[in-house]
Amino acid sequence: MQKAIEVTNLCKRYSQEVLKNFSLSVNEGEMVVLLGESGCGKSTFIRILAGLENADSGSVCLNGISMDERIPPNKRNIALVYQEPVLWNHMPVWKNIAYGMAKKDKKVIYELMDALEIGGLEKRFPEEISGGQAKRVALARALAADKGILLLDEPLSNIDEKTKLKNLEYLVQNYKDRKTILYVTHSKMEADFLGCRQIRMDVRE
Ligand SMILES: Nc1ncnc2c1ncn2[C@@H]1O[C@H](COP(=O)(O)OP(=O)(O)O)[C@@H](O)[C@H]1O
Ligand SMILES: [Mg+2]
């Protein structure tokens, strides 16, 4: 079976070594958790997959296609939730969510907003919502874009526990083993809750 994500021997160094021969493979439709302490290189890894950063060596294949550095992020069939949510400040929440949708279906947008506990915020602007709400708007935008691969970098950090559990439950019920998802977190609780394969990443000394 063709892998949705196939990463081999990725290396990346800044002033210090961050990734050394890191390999990972994810089946199509599989949800996988990448778990590791803060500073171990998770976000760096996600940025390399997304084409926002270059590796020093190693290879990345998405859906069987080799991603060399000339393939830009928007040509990779991925939706990415950044660790720090990035929203369009000049657009209300609903437009932010609709941004990547091929067909701007309001019903889908409102259902997603309700499911992620951000219903009622559609007309607000990003500066009028909290950081935790902004994260869920970013998550809704990624889910709505309906790309082949979802890369979620700490999508539910800094969200209160009760809401976080509801959001995790929603992801499990609606996306687990239906959609290719790489869920990045430092939280063992989140990883265990999702109940899927866990890949550990360790801090390099
Ligand atoms: N653009 C950068 N320039 C220099 N160092 C960086 C850069 N991005 C990340 N780092 C360093 O690389 C290491 C891994 O960071 P990061 O990928 O953000 O880890 P994580 O997401 O697991 O917390 C950290 O030591 C961080 O300081
Ligand atoms: Mg990070």
Side-chain angles (χ1 to χ4, degrees):
M1 192 167 124
Q2 182 180 288
K3 301 287 181 188
I5 305 175
E6 183 85 73
V7 172
T8 315
N9 293 334
L10 218 57
C11 295
K12 178 74 182 176
R13 139 180 298 282
Y14 295 112
S15 49
Q16 80 286 31
E17 190 170 60
V18 179
L19 300 172
K20 187 176 183 195
N21 292 330
F22 187 74
S23 301
L24 161 159
S25 90
V26 180
N27 290 324
E28 212 174 304
E30 188 186 17
M31 182 193 264
V32 166
V33 172
L34 181 62
L35 176 66
E37 286 172 34
S38 184
C40 71
K42 304 182 297 300
S43 295
T44 301
F45 175 67
I46 289 293
R47 288 199 303 270
I48 292 170
L49 285 192
L52 297 167
E53 194 135 9
N54 295 331
D56 298 332
S57 60
S59 69
V60 173
C61 249
L62 300 178
N63 298 310
I65 302 168
S66 172
M67 295 289 127
D68 71 31
E69 286 148 15
R70 288 163 299 180
I71 303 184
N74 61 338
K75 296 275 192 290
R76 295 188 174 213
N77 193 25
I78 50 161
L80 168 63
V81 172
Y82 298 88
Q83 187 166 349
E84 302 303 329
V86 180
L87 300 176
W88 301 109
N89 268 329
H90 63 293
M91 286 182 188
V93 159
W94 79 267
K95 270 200 183 173
N96 266 282
I97 296 172
Y99 184 75
M101 292 172 86
K103 184 168 162 274
K104 318 273 186 230
D105 185 340
K106 279 208 166 168
K107 188 164 167 276
V108 172
I109 296 170
Y110 286 110
E111 278 172 6
L112 260 173
M113 291 185 70
D114 283 342
L116 295 174
E117 312 261 319
I118 45 173
L121 298 180
E122 56 275 5
K123 294 204 178 95
R124 303 255 199 107
F125 283 82
E127 61 194 16
E128 298 170 332
I129 62 178
S130 72
Q133 288 167 335
K135 289 212 89 153
R136 281 170 286 144
V137 173
L139 179 57
R141 179 176 58 191
L143 295 171
D146 199 24
K147 299 287 186 185
I149 298 173
L150 275 173
L151 303 176
L152 309 179
D153 192 357
E154 310 259 10
L156 301 176
S157 57
N158 307 327
I159 292 176
D160 69 89
E161 286 302 304
K162 195 164 143 250
T163 309
K164 182 186 291 196
L165 289 177
K166 283 190 181 169
N167 288 180
L168 285 168
E169 211 165 82
Y170 172 73
L171 287 177
V172 168
Q173 278 173 6
N174 292 276
Y175 294 94
K176 188 175 166 187
D177 299 333
R178 293 194 206 170
K179 184 106 195 147
T180 308
I181 298 181
L182 186 56
Y183 187 106
V184 174
T185 183
H186 66 276
S187 158
K188 183 86 173 95
M189 185 286 279
E190 284 180 43
D192 287 345
F193 192 99
L194 290 168
C196 53
R197 183 158 67 92
Q198 297 181 6
I199 295 166
R200 285 210 62 95
M201 188 180 262
D202 295 314
V203 180
R204 303 208 57 79
E205 302 304 333

